[in-house]
Amino acid sequence: MLIRIAAFLVIFLLLGGVFYLLTRIRKFSFVKKLTEKYKWLNLAFALLPLAVIAVFCFIDMINTLVVVVHLIIFWGLSDLVFLIIKKAAHKSFRRYWQGLAAVAVTALYLGSGLFFNYHVFETDYSLTTGKDIGDGLRIVQISDSHIGNTFDGDGFAEHIQRIKKTKPDVVVITGDFVDDDTTKEDMIKSCAALGGIESRYGVYFVFGNHDKGYFGYRDFSETDLRNELEKNNVILLEDECVELGENFVLVGRQDRSAGIRKTVSELTESIDKDKYMIVLDHQPNDYDAEASAGADLVLSGHTHGGQMFPIGIIGVAFGFNDKNYGLEVRDGTAFIVNSGISCWAIQFKTATASEFAVIDVKQK
């Protein structure tokens, strides 16, 4: 019932916002002149924006709504700011500058969001431990590639060429490698790219909530994905532990969306706690248990770094996630949430940037 009420309120506010935009468009001087001269254009200026929104919604509903919502918000803020200026200065504006400002700010804001979504940065972390770990460990974390969204299989292979230059000791994939819109061809190319990585301990993979598919319309199965990963020497960890040399142990958890998975304490009860323990868990929402289990480092993705302000803040506030992005140390455990090398559906990142992480662990 609450969900229905919330959905109704969202739709009501959105429709109200669109109506508000239609009334604002009429304030531009050239629109006023045209509608005064040609009365029939009043209807045109009412229907044309609605038609444009409808067409773009048909092509890409999610991102069209993202643009419209931001335009409504920035236009409202612009009107408010100019009203305050008008009252303070005791003067009116001959032109409707607030409309131009709203469009410009929306374009710049979402334009930067496009850039930070499609441009992949390298993020470096340096961690220390009191445990005996010899020469240390360089981990490269790749998360939320959602192959086929911002790049295809060939594009993913280009990113892997950058990653290979970092000379990792181990590479970990923390979920949502593919999703429903990934093609089989791109999946195969991406798995082959992972197979070309040379590292001391290899490449390890845990499933995310999108990897097994939601809607069943993609042209490959979960079994096809498993086979291609294994063919390219990528090791799948599903509630399993594996030792990396003498000093490290890697724990790969089933994703929370799987429904049934072992608790982290069950997974780690037989692990030698003198070894440096790294836990891979796609969704960052079991921090207290993972810290209590003695994990030294927990790597996650899923949140896309919050994606767009204020989505991430809301997610943490309502308890969907323990953290949106970055490094946090809790009870001696270092938690890192990766923003993802790509994203799902929404083509803008205004709260973060796309990345892969290079994590150096050294002995104190």
Side-chain angles (χ1 to χ4, degrees):
M1 184 65 179
L2 288 175
I3 294 176
R4 290 181 179 179
I5 293 173
F8 175 79
L9 287 174
V10 169
I11 294 172
F12 178 78
L13 289 172
L14 182 60
L15 291 175
V18 170
F19 178 76
Y20 168 75
L21 288 182
L22 294 177
T23 62
R24 299 297 96 181
I25 290 172
R26 292 172 177 273
K27 288 183 172 292
F28 286 110
S29 57
F30 76 94
V31 175
K32 283 183 178 179
K33 290 177 182 178
L34 284 172
T35 52
E36 286 173 0
K37 186 174 182 180
Y38 305 102
K39 299 298 183 181
W40 60 271
L41 283 177
N42 282 290
L43 181 62
F45 277 111
L47 296 179
L48 185 59
L50 292 176
V52 170
I53 292 172
V55 169
F56 278 99
C57 277
F58 179 77
I59 298 170
D60 186 344
M61 178 178 290
I62 291 176
N63 288 292
T64 298
L65 292 178
V66 167
V67 173
V68 170
V69 167
H70 280 82
L71 190 56
I72 292 168
I73 293 170
F74 285 128
W75 211 309
L77 290 173
S78 181
D79 271 348
L80 178 61
V81 169
F82 274 80
L83 177 62
I84 293 171
I85 294 172
K86 179 181 176 180
K87 294 292 185 182
H90 302 288
K91 61 179 293 186
S92 59
F93 300 98
R94 295 174 62 186
R95 296 182 182 275
Y96 187 50
W97 294 110
Q98 47 267 60
L100 293 173
V103 173
V105 170
T106 303
L108 288 171
Y109 185 73
L110 293 182
S112 67
L114 276 173
F115 173 80
F116 288 118
N117 188 33
Y118 279 82
H119 186 86
V120 178
F121 295 83
E122 175 185 328
T123 303
D124 299 320
Y125 295 95
S126 183
L127 306 177
T128 58
T129 178
K131 294 183 176 181
D132 181 5
I133 58 169
D135 295 332
L137 187 73
R138 170 164 284 192
I139 308 163
V140 168
Q141 180 191 10
I142 303 169
S143 194
D144 297 271
S145 49
H146 294 278
I147 304 298
N149 191 346
T150 58
F151 48 74
D152 57 12
D154 292 326
F156 182 73
E158 291 177 7
H159 290 306
I160 292 299
Q161 292 303 313
R162 285 181 62 196
I163 288 168
K164 288 166 70 173
K165 292 177 182 178
T166 67
K167 298 181 180 179
D169 293 316
V170 62
V171 175
V172 297
I173 315 296
T174 51
D176 284 358
F177 178 61
V178 295
D179 65 27
D180 288 274
D181 293 322
T182 307
T183 66
K184 185 174 184 178
E185 179 183 4
D186 285 333
M187 180 272 288
I188 291 172
K189 286 181 179 180
S190 300
C191 290
L194 292 177
I197 297 174
E198 295 180 3
S199 60
R200 189 193 311 183
Y201 298 119
V203 181
Y204 295 85
F205 179 103
V206 294
F207 282 99
N209 54 303
H210 283 270
D211 287 306
K212 297 179 182 181
Y214 279 113
F215 306 111
Y217 60 76
R218 67 188 183 192
D219 61 349
F220 65 93
S221 65
E222 179 189 335
T223 301
D224 293 330
L225 173 60
R226 290 175 179 270
N227 290 340
E228 287 300 321
L229 289 168
E230 291 170 356
K231 186 170 77 175
N232 287 282
N233 301 313
V234 177
I235 300 168
L236 279 67
L237 297 177
E238 300 178 85
D239 279 352
E240 297 172 273
C241 306
V242 61
E243 292 188 352
L244 306 179
E246 297 180 354
N247 303 312
F248 302 91
V249 61
L250 189 63
V251 180
R253 303 193 67 184
Q254 285 276 23
D255 184 58
R256 186 187 186 192
S257 64
I260 300 175
R261 66 174 182 172
K262 292 181 181 179
T263 65
V264 68
S265 59
E266 289 173 334
L267 269 175
T268 61
E269 60 185 354
S270 61
I271 291 176
D272 181 355
K273 296 304 189 288
D274 289 332
K275 294 180 182 291
Y276 190 90
M277 187 198 307
I278 305 160
V279 176
L280 309 180
D281 189 2
H282 175 64
Q283 299 189 42
N285 50 31
D286 201 18
Y287 277 16
D288 288 341
E290 287 162 343
S292 296
D296 295 287
L297 174 63
V298 179
L299 302 177
S300 302
H302 182 63
T303 64
H304 302 169
Q307 188 81 42
M308 301 196 75
F309 178 84
I311 294 174
I313 297 172
I314 294 170
V316 172
F318 281 88
F320 299 125
N321 305 298
D322 288 322
K323 189 174 180 62
N324 287 317
Y325 175 70
L327 171 66
E328 177 183 336
V329 179
R330 184 183 298 189
D331 296 329
T333 301
F335 295 90
I336 293 177
V337 182
N338 193 291
S339 68
I341 198 169
S342 182
C343 67
W344 174 83
I346 296 175
Q347 297 297 310
F348 309 93
K349 280 186 176 178
T350 59
T352 183
S354 295
E355 67 176 359
F356 64 87
V358 179
I359 306 157
D360 286 309
V361 184
K362 298 180 180 179
Q363 188 173 336
K364 289 181 181 178

